[in-house]
Amino acid sequence: MTQQAISKTVKEISDLLQQAANMNYIGEPISQLEHALQAAHFATKDGLDNEGILAALLHDIGHLIEPEKQSAMGKYGVADHEKLCAQYLRNKGFSEKIAGLITGHVVAKRYLVTTSESYYQRLSPASRKTLEYQGGKMNQAELTEFRKQPYFREILQVRLCDEKAKEIDLPCAGLNTYIPLIKQHLTAQD
């Protein structure tokens, strides 16, 4: 990927996230941008590698990519946003690991709800509602299959960062902190 292509991708992603500063995060008291930055904050704090941090930062941009053209989950955002996001990032040159972590973050919620009653109790009302659209609890075959994911543990970590990233006025790094990480990642994909 050329430096020009990398710069174009970084600008496009940055613009998407900047636009999200004025968008409510689906039933939560923060913006889409705040949610993304908080998820990356918690991923950094929890010791995820750079790909895990970028997956946490970018995991919900599927809600931002032409939402008017996508199927909705009622008033709770874009259906299959994780798949839309993963494919978008693959097309932009991001690693398969980042795409896999993002694709798995919704299934991870279903897994955690199935395996931990206390996890379900911690979900916000909006997250409980989206769970209904996303398939609810897993059956035994789905549990077994999900545990075979190559990034199983990291997917769970990204999910937990996602779930924590709903605090009002949490001090955390701004988007410019992550731009060099995005550039570094895209440069390394060649």
Side-chain angles (χ1 to χ4, degrees):
M1 180 178 280
T2 67
Q3 286 303 311
Q4 183 178 5
I6 290 170
S7 294
K8 182 179 177 188
T9 296
V10 169
K11 181 177 180 346
E12 188 174 317
I13 289 171
S14 178
D15 287 350
L16 276 173
L17 289 170
Q18 289 294 350
Q19 291 167 11
N22 299 318
M23 298 172 66
N24 288 334
Y25 176 62
I26 309 153
E28 305 291 349
I30 60 172
S31 73
Q32 291 267 2
L33 177 60
E34 288 171 310
H35 175 68
L37 294 174
Q38 287 183 23
H41 166 81
F42 287 116
T44 302
K45 188 175 172 184
D46 293 350
L48 274 70
D49 66 13
N50 287 346
E51 288 174 302
I53 293 166
L54 289 177
L57 176 71
L58 303 173
H59 75 278
D60 273 348
I61 63 170
H63 289 297
L64 308 173
I65 303 167
E66 299 181 331
E68 67 283 351
K69 294 182 180 180
Q70 310 303 328
S71 298
M73 297 183 291
K75 62 179 183 176
Y76 295 98
V78 173
D80 296 323
H81 71 281
E82 72 283 8
K83 295 172 188 167
L84 179 64
C85 176
Q87 191 56 53
Y88 171 81
L89 292 176
R90 280 184 191 103
N91 292 344
K92 297 296 179 184
F94 284 81
S95 70
E96 189 56 39
K97 180 178 178 181
I98 288 176
L101 294 175
I102 289 171
T103 300
H105 87 275
V106 168
V107 180
K109 177 168 66 170
R110 295 181 62 220
Y111 174 85
L112 289 166
V113 163
T114 305
T115 59
S116 172
E117 182 62 31
S118 65
Y119 178 79
Y120 179 79
Q121 296 304 323
R122 292 191 309 265
L123 290 178
S124 69
S127 197
R128 288 180 186 184
K129 190 64 180 170
T130 59
L131 177 65
E132 293 173 23
Y133 287 98
Q134 295 162 337
K137 287 186 175 185
M138 290 181 157
N139 62 39
Q140 191 58 49
E142 290 172 318
L143 287 170
T144 300
E145 192 61 31
F146 181 64
R147 288 181 181 124
K148 294 178 185 176
Q149 295 294 315
Y151 307 112
F152 171 71
R153 295 277 175 220
E154 291 166 283
I155 291 169
L156 293 178
Q157 288 178 293
V158 169
R159 177 70 222 176
L160 294 173
C161 292
D162 175 14
E163 208 56 55
K164 290 187 279 189
K166 299 175 183 180
E167 295 185 28
I168 298 171
D169 297 327
L170 177 73
C172 56
L175 183 56
N176 287 337
T177 299
Y178 301 102
I179 297 301
L181 193 59
I182 295 170
K183 287 179 182 175
Q184 177 187 23
H185 175 77
L186 291 172
T187 300
Q189 299 312 298
D190 286 338

